[in-house]
Amino acid sequence: MAADWLGNVVSINCGLALGVYQGEVSSVDCASQTISLRQPYHNGIKCPVSEVTFSAMDIKELKFLDVQNTANKPRSAQGAAKQPSLISAGHHSQSSSNSRGATQATQKKNSVRNGSTMGPTRSKDDECFGGGTDGDLDADFDFQGNLALFDKAAVFSQIDGTSGHGSRTQHHSAQAKQKPLSYRHDENILEKKPVTYRQITVPQHGGKDYCTDSGLVVPSVSYELHARLLAAAEHWGLTLERRLEMIGVCSSQMALTLLGGPNRLTPKNVHQRPTVVLLCGPHLQGAQGVSCGRHLANHGVEVILFLPNFVKMQESVTSEVNLYGRTSGKQVASVKDLPASPVDLLINCLDCHENPLLREQSWYQSAAGWANQNRAPVLSIDPPVGGRHQTVEAKWTLSLGLPLPLAETESRVYLCDIGIPKLVFQEVGICYHSPFGCKFVIPLHRE
């Protein structure tokens, strides 16, 4: 009877440890209670060996997947007749996969699921996952048979167009001509034109050219032309007060970014608020610094304003100091009252375009000396032109409107939009197209 097993395709379940094997029966030894499979599959994956032998002690369940010798009997009857020769050992006669046993097991599960035996104690797993599919799970999936249903050669032949290739190619080419081109949301649907990178031209070149991140050229202008531009803007309503507010907002926004932005200024980090020191003089540049300090203090930054008690200050400085006095920021008049330890950021507004002799005064020299010893990074707002060496070396420099020809330093140059209209630029002979895009402060790179 052992010969009746040969050539049949069976599935052997060896439990969780060894898994499920499938293959063609190559030999059966009733004396040693072993069975061997040719070209076996282990859990659906082909085994690296050509034959595997199993002991009856390891077999938990045995199922017939394909019966080869079908001369005089139907498959179900023949399969049932062939089982006793090996299974009569008693260990797995109960787990043999005859159709009657599987049907009884399915009926039993259905009766349990319908609540006839368990009643109110029905398990939650059955309620959630017992959707009438457990009967189908008793049969192992036939990987080999399912793979045979997929004719890869025919499918790939159809994809490659080996059958009727010419007509298919002509059909697709005709569709390609008729189908309009589609564009992504970030693509330009208009015909492309060459980009003009020099969109700003000035009548009096300052001697240096800068470029933006996108490659636009931004020329420098002389101090005289810059002063004429500001005067024309003030004539059309861009007053000094409005410019100071714009400069204060833009410079404080840049300072907040340099301090860490949202990573540093959060409600959970009030115990580590950054400290900024502003060094200001009694002139327009000093008023710009005080405006910046007011906005920083409004955003929760610890601000310390250094402004000596001058006998005479510009009116713009006095107005900005009065506004700054309504914030939580501090004001000192002596270098001795400044912090001895390094601060997070130092904003330098000591220099003046019109009066270079301020550098010779004692208050200026003491403030510059303190800044150089504090070792804090320095942001310089609207520094003087390049002919004058910077007493306080800045890491960042913020120019207004258009850059001045600054001195050759390692400082990174940024440009601030102060709101001058395009026609005001044209009034002083400057052909202007805004290089700012969606920002109010942009970095400039030396060419």
Side-chain angles (χ1 to χ4, degrees), residues 44-98:
I45 302 175
K46 189 173 183 179
C47 297
V49 295
S50 60
E51 191 176 58
V52 180
T53 302
F54 302 90
S55 174
M57 299 300 296
D58 297 328
I59 299 176
K60 305 298 181 184
E61 184 179 15
L62 188 147
K63 295 182 180 180
F64 286 87
L65 302 180
D66 189 13
V67 180
Q68 300 295 331
N69 301 323
T70 56
N72 298 319
K73 299 180 181 180
R75 172 182 291 186
S76 60
Q78 195 173 26
K82 293 178 182 180
Q83 294 175 17
S85 60
L86 176 67
I87 303 173
S88 59
H91 174 68
H92 40 28
S93 61
Q94 183 180 357
S95 61
S96 62
S97 60
N98 55 69

Side-chain angles (χ1 to χ4, degrees), residues 253-420:
Q253 182 63 59
M254 180 178 176
L256 290 172
T257 303
L258 297 176
L259 291 171
N263 297 324
R264 185 76 182 275
L265 298 167
T266 60
K268 297 181 180 179
N269 198 27
V270 293
H271 61 289
Q272 292 180 340
R273 292 195 297 175
T275 302
V276 176
V277 171
L278 291 112
L279 303 178
C280 299
H283 38 64
L284 176 60
Q285 281 67 34
Q288 295 171 167
V290 178
S291 176
C292 175
R294 170 166 54 90
H295 289 287
L296 290 176
N298 289 339
H299 284 263
V301 179
E302 295 285 351
V303 181
I304 302 175
L305 171 63
F306 169 78
L307 184 65
N309 295 323
F310 298 100
V311 177
K312 184 178 181 181
M313 289 191 298
Q314 290 188 8
E315 183 179 354
S316 59
V317 180
T318 304
S319 300
E320 290 296 332
V321 170
N322 290 335
L323 274 175
Y324 174 81
R326 311 307 300 172
T327 68
S328 59
K330 301 177 182 179
Q331 181 179 351
V332 298
S334 174
V335 175
K336 298 179 181 179
D337 298 327
L338 292 175
S341 58
V343 295
D344 294 275
L345 181 65
L346 195 155
I347 299 179
N348 179 25
C349 299
L350 293 174
D351 292 293
C352 175
H353 292 285
E354 294 82 7
N355 187 7
L357 297 179
L358 289 177
R359 296 187 174 189
E360 301 178 0
Q361 298 185 10
S362 59
W363 66 268
Y364 182 100
Q365 295 179 359
S366 60
W370 176 88
N372 292 327
Q373 293 178 0
N374 191 264
R375 298 180 180 179
V378 179
L379 168 63
S380 182
I381 300 179
D382 193 18
V385 294
R388 308 169 191 172
H389 177 70
Q390 294 186 10
T391 308
V392 179
E393 293 294 334
K395 187 175 183 179
W396 305 280
T397 297
L398 183 62
S399 297
L400 311 179
L402 284 176
L404 298 173
L406 303 175
E408 292 291 342
T409 62
E410 298 297 328
S411 178
R412 303 174 188 175
V413 181
Y414 287 77
L415 188 64
C416 169
D417 184 8
I418 57 177
I420 301 177

Side-chain angles (χ1 to χ4, degrees), residues 397-447:
T397 297
L398 183 62
S399 297
L400 311 179
L402 284 176
L404 298 173
L406 303 175
E408 292 291 342
T409 62
E410 298 297 328
S411 178
R412 303 174 188 175
V413 181
Y414 287 77
L415 188 64
C416 169
D417 184 8
I418 57 177
I420 301 177
K422 180 178 180 180
L423 294 181
V424 176
F425 282 96
Q426 294 182 1
E427 188 173 324
V428 295
I430 300 176
C431 180
Y432 181 82
H433 293 273
S434 174
F436 291 97
C438 62
K439 300 179 180 179
F440 284 88
V441 178
I442 58 174
L444 295 181
H445 311 280
R446 293 181 176 87
E447 287 194 335

